Structure formats: C-alpha cells, structure tokens
Amino acid sequence: QIQLVESGGGSVHTGGSLRLSCTVSVDIISSYCMAWFRRAPGKEREGVASIDSDGSTFYADSVKGRFTISKDNARHTLYLQMNDLKEEDTGIYTCAAEAGLCLPGSGRHLRPNFAYWGTGTQVTVSS
C-alpha cells in the first residue's frame, strides 16, 4: 500500500524559509513522477513543483527561483525547500505520486489528478 506522509510545515515570517519532507512507504520515488501541491484558503489546489524519475524538475511560475524540489531515492523521501517565503505561499502543502513520467509538455506534471496523495502539512507565512 502506497502511503505518503508530509512533515516540516509551520509558521514563518515573510522572507523566511521552510523545508518540507514527504516520506513514502514503498520504493516508488525512483520511478514515479513526484510532486508538491498546495491549497490556499478559498482557492483551488495548485501544482507547485514536480520531479521526474530522472531528476528533472519543473516549477510553477509563482515559485521559480524560490522553491527547490528534490528527492532521496534511498530514503524514499521527497523534499521541498522553500526560501524567500511570501504571504501568498500560505496554504496546505501536499505531496503526490503518479506512475510514469511527469510529461511537462502535456501539463500533467502540475495537474491535481495524481493517483496517490498525502494528508498535507500547513504552511503559514505572515508579515
């Protein structure tokens, strides 16, 4: 059974940093498309970043240059390093997994229709 568990959320001031982790119960990180999504209050879930099996990374325009997605295949763990946080980054961050390639050309890499999801971790950024 595939389970994803996030950790590392919290409250920070604008300009601060957080690192989120997502630990997966089985070894799929090395072969699946892995991604981070977020849902801000009153808004729909949006894709933040994704990483392919070969390590290629993709980002939403709103976080490029500030967020970095990475993974440790041996530890079955996905990460999201978030720097220079802004109030609009506030939301529930959830990791997700989908079999196969991320296929950025199709938009699949950041669409919220992945097969497996964690329960999320809250990130709150305040001035």
Side-chain angles (χ1 to χ4, degrees):
Q1 184 176 0
I2 297 175
Q3 293 182 320
L4 293 77
V5 179
E6 302 92 342
S7 61
S11 297
V12 296
H13 292 298
T14 54
S17 298
L18 282 173
R19 188 174 85 152
L20 305 182
S21 298
C22 171
T23 301
V24 187
S25 59
V26 296
D27 182 14
I28 61 170
I29 282 186
S30 59
S31 60
Y32 275 39
C33 174
M34 303 297 298
W36 287 97
F37 290 81
R38 69 184 178 191
R39 175 172 280 158
K43 295 188 177 181
E44 294 186 353
R45 178 177 283 166
E46 65 170 343
V48 174
S50 59
I51 185 167
D52 229 326
S53 55
D54 67 355
S56 299
T57 57
F58 315 99
Y59 298 94
D61 288 342
S62 58
V63 306
K64 279 181 182 176
R66 300 188 299 121
F67 290 12
T68 302
I69 188 172
S70 63
K71 61 179 180 172
D72 186 330
N73 291 341
R75 295 179 184 272
H76 304 176
T77 303
L78 178 73
Y79 302 101
L80 185 68
Q81 177 66 44
M82 306 185 293
N83 298 328
D84 190 21
L85 283 160
K86 305 176 180 181
E87 288 188 55
E88 52 264 40
D89 294 318
T90 293
I92 297 174
Y93 284 69
T94 308
C95 62
E98 178 69 25
L101 300 176
C102 290
L103 302 178
S106 71
R108 176 196 191 201
H109 63 310
L110 292 179
R111 273 203 298 264
N113 55 355
F114 280 45
Y116 304 98
W117 294 83
T119 56
T121 185
Q122 176 70 45
V123 171
T124 303
V125 185
S126 59
S127 59

